[in-house]
Amino acid sequence: MLVSAAYAATAEANLLDTVTFDFWVPIVSLTAVFLAIHVVVRFLAPYADPVLIPAVALINGLGVAFLRRLDLSKANPDERADLTMFSGTGGRQLAWTLLSVALAAGLLVLIRDHRAISRYAYTLVLAGIVLVITPALLPAKYSQVNPESDAKLWISVGGFTIQPGEFAKLALLVFFAYYLVRKREVLSLASRRFLGIDFPRGRDLGPVIVVWLISLAVLVFQKDLGTSLLYFGMFVVTLYIATERVSWLIIGLLLFFGGAVLAWYLGSTIGGPFASFYTRVDIWLDPYGDPYGTGWQTLQGLLGLGTGGLFGTGPGAGQPTEIPEVHTDFVFAGLGEEIGLFGLSALLVVYLLIIERGLRAALAVRDSFGKLLAGGLSFTVCLQLFVIIGGVSGLIPLTGQTTPFLSAGGSSLMANWLLVAALLRISDAARRPVDSASPARPGGAPAGPPPQLHGATTEVIRP
C-alpha cells in the first residue's frame, strides 16, 4: 500500500502541483479492507499461502490509484483539486474493491473444504452455460456497452451492467476439474505413438470437440477472441494436468488455430457473423491501413508504450487518456507509459508470483479435484494476461478481456477475488499438517489428512 500511496501522491503532484490531504482516503480504505481479509484468512484458513493477498493487494491498489489519476486528468484543470475521492472511475473501483473483498471473505466462510464445491459441479456447469450464452441472445442494446465495439459480452439493464463471462469461467472450471477427476484414466489411454508422443483414441476426443465448438460459438456470436481462447485453453490445460499427455496440448492448439483460421477465411468470403473476427485480424495485420479509424486504438496503445520507454514518464506526467478505453482494455498500455518497461516487468513478476503460488498449491494438495482446480485457476490468470498483453503489444489480435485486479470493472474484480479466495482455501488444505500430532486447527479440531473423493487418488500430478 506504500507503493500505491507513492504512485497516488506523485500523480497528484504532477497534475495539481500539490498533494492534497484527501489522497490518503482511498489508500487508508484499501489498507483497512486488505487487513480485514488478512485477519479473516488467519482465522478461517490459517495455513493458506501468505503471499497471495499481499501480491493481489499491490496490483489492486495500484489499479485504483491509476484510475483515480485518469479521473484527475479528464477533469477541468480548475476543478481537479475539488474532485472527491469517491467520484469517477477510481471511486467506483474503490467501492467494487470493498465489495469484492467482502465476497472473497464470504466464500471462505461458506466453503470450509474445497472438495465440497464438487457436489455442485453439474449445477455450476448449467449456470456457466447460461451465463455464457445469455449476452449472445440479447439484443445489442442490452449486451453491447461500447457502441464502437461489436462484442456482446455484457448484460445491461437500467444502468446496471454485469459481464457474466467473468463468473462463467469459474463455474466451468469447477466442472472441468470434477469431470476430469473421474474420466482421466480413460482419457489417458493411448491408441498410437507418433514421434515419441502418445496420442489418445479417436473415441476419447468427444469432450475436447464439444468444448472446441462452444469456444467457436463464443468467437462467432459474441465476437470475442479472448473469451473463446480462455474457455478452450482452460479445458485443454486442465486435461493436460489430469492426464500428463502432451498430445492433448498439441490437439488443442491445432483445433483452436484451425478454427480461428476457418473463421477468418469465412469472414473474408461470406462475412455475416464471421465478419467481425476478420476485421480484428485485418487491424492486427495492418493497423496503419486505417490509422485514424479502425487502427486508432491499437496505434495509440503502442505509442503509449513507446513513449514510456524504459523508465516511464512518471505518474501523472504521461498522456494515457489519449488511448481509447484505457481504463479497461488498454490499462496495461496506459500504465506502461508512466512506469515504463521496468515498471511493467516488475508488475508482471507480481502476477507471475500469484500464478506460481497457485501452481505450488496444486502440487501440494492431496486430492485430485483440488489439484485440477488450483492448476486451472492459476492457468486462467496466466492465459488472461497473455491475451490482454498480446493484444495490446500487437502479438495477437485485440481481445475484450480486462487485466485482472487492474482494469476498471466490478464483474472482473469480483470474479478474480473469488478466484483468489478459492486458491487460499486450496492452499490451506495443501499446507495443513497431515500428522495427527501436528498443532490443532482453530476451533480445537485436530489437523489430519482430508478425506478423499470417491475415485480420487493422491499422487502428485505434474502441471
Side-chain angles (χ1 to χ4, degrees):
M1 297 317 300
L2 290 176
V3 174
S4 301
Y7 186 94
T10 307
E12 283 202 358
N14 282 323
L15 290 169
L16 306 176
D17 293 328
T18 185
V19 179
T20 64
F21 181 77
D22 289 342
F23 98 96
W24 282 106
V25 174
I27 301 301
V28 171
S29 302
L30 289 174
T31 303
V33 74
F34 292 147
L35 284 175
I37 187 65
H38 169 73
V39 173
V40 170
V41 170
R42 293 306 305 153
F43 278 97
L44 299 180
Y47 301 105
D49 195 314
V51 176
L52 287 172
I53 289 181
V56 173
L58 170 60
I59 301 172
N60 199 161
L62 189 60
V64 172
F66 177 70
L67 294 174
R68 165 69 178 176
R69 175 257 179 276
L70 294 179
D71 293 334
L72 290 174
S73 184
K74 293 176 183 178
N76 188 303
D78 297 331
E79 300 174 355
R80 287 176 179 174
D82 299 325
L83 190 67
T84 62
M85 286 295 165
F86 293 95
S87 63
T89 306
R92 288 194 298 271
Q93 188 75 351
L94 177 59
W96 282 120
T97 300
L98 303 180
L99 178 59
S100 301
V101 174
L103 284 176
L107 182 66
L108 291 173
V109 172
L110 292 175
I111 306 297
R112 297 302 181 94
D113 189 335
H114 63 274
R115 290 162 299 180
I117 306 175
S118 64
R119 302 172 189 169
Y120 309 99
Y122 288 101
T123 303
L124 288 173
V125 72
L126 179 61
I129 293 173
V130 171
L131 290 173
V132 169
I133 66 175
T134 300
L137 299 177
L138 291 175
K141 65 178 181 178
Y142 296 113
S143 58
Q144 290 182 215
V145 173
N146 184 4
E148 299 179 0
S149 172
D150 52 5
K152 303 181 69 174
L153 304 175
W154 298 269
I155 298 176
S156 180
V157 179
F160 178 77
T161 303
I162 187 173
Q163 191 171 350
E166 293 288 344
F167 302 97
K169 66 184 180 185
L170 301 179
L172 293 175
L173 193 55
V174 171
F175 176 76
F176 292 161
Y178 174 85
Y179 173 80
L180 292 173
V181 163
R182 282 149 179 77
K183 299 295 183 181
R184 66 176 185 175
E185 291 183 2
V186 175
L187 296 172
S188 298
L189 296 176
S191 63
R192 63 183 60 187
R193 191 175 182 86
F194 180 70
L195 297 179
I197 300 174
D198 293 322
F199 283 85
R201 302 176 301 177
R203 73 184 76 170
D204 299 328
L205 293 176
V208 178
I209 298 298
V210 170
V211 178
W212 176 65
L213 291 175
I214 293 174
S215 67
L216 285 183
V218 171
L219 176 64
V220 173
F221 296 106
Q222 290 193 344
K223 302 176 178 61
D224 183 29
L225 172 65
T227 302
S228 174
L229 177 58
L230 186 63
Y231 291 159
F232 189 64
M234 285 191 317
F235 181 75
V236 171
V237 169
T238 308
L239 179 57
Y240 167 66
I241 296 173
T243 62
E244 302 185 49
R245 296 290 188 191
V246 178
S247 55
W248 284 117
L249 294 180
I250 298 174
I251 293 171
L253 289 172
L254 291 176
L255 282 174
F256 185 83
F257 286 113
V261 171
L262 177 62
W264 173 82
Y265 176 75
L266 293 175
S268 65
T269 54
I270 66 175
F274 304 96
S276 173
F277 181 65
Y278 173 78
T279 302
R280 282 180 177 264
V281 175
D282 189 53
I283 296 171
W284 169 57
L285 294 174
D286 185 18
Y288 288 96
D290 186 13
Y292 295 102
T294 56
W296 177 254
Q297 186 181 33
T298 300
L299 292 176
Q300 288 296 101
L302 293 174
L303 287 171
L305 290 173
T307 302
L310 291 178
F311 301 101
T313 59
Q319 294 180 315
T321 53
E322 296 296 323
I323 305 173
E325 303 300 324
V326 66
H327 62 294
T328 53
D329 297 357
F330 274 71
V331 67
F332 199 81
L335 190 60
E337 180 180 355
E338 299 198 334
I339 65 176
L341 178 62
F342 285 170
L344 288 183
S345 298
L347 190 62
L348 286 177
V349 168
V350 179
Y351 275 115
L352 185 62
L353 189 61
I354 297 171
I355 297 165
E356 182 270 336
R357 288 290 178 159
L359 292 176
R360 176 174 293 189
L363 286 169
V365 73
R366 293 177 284 275
D367 66 284
S368 298
F369 176 74
K371 290 179 183 295
L372 296 183
L373 183 58
L377 291 171
S378 303
F379 179 77
T380 298
V381 178
C382 181
L383 185 57
Q384 195 167 344
L385 279 174
F386 169 76
V387 297
I388 295 161
I389 299 172
V392 170
S393 61
L395 179 64
I396 61 175
L398 284 178
T399 65
Q401 292 292 310
T402 55
T403 309
F405 309 108
L406 202 60
S407 297
S411 300
S412 174
L413 198 58
M414 286 189 291
N416 284 298
W417 266 103
L418 289 175
L419 184 152
V420 169
L423 285 179
L424 287 169
R425 176 56 68 203
I426 296 172
S427 68
D428 175 65
R431 296 159 59 92
R432 187 182 307 151
V434 180
D435 189 358
S436 59
S438 300
R441 297 177 57 193
Q452 293 294 313
L453 281 173
H454 176 68
T457 57
T458 57
E459 73 273 20
V460 172
I461 303 176
R462 294 188 300 275

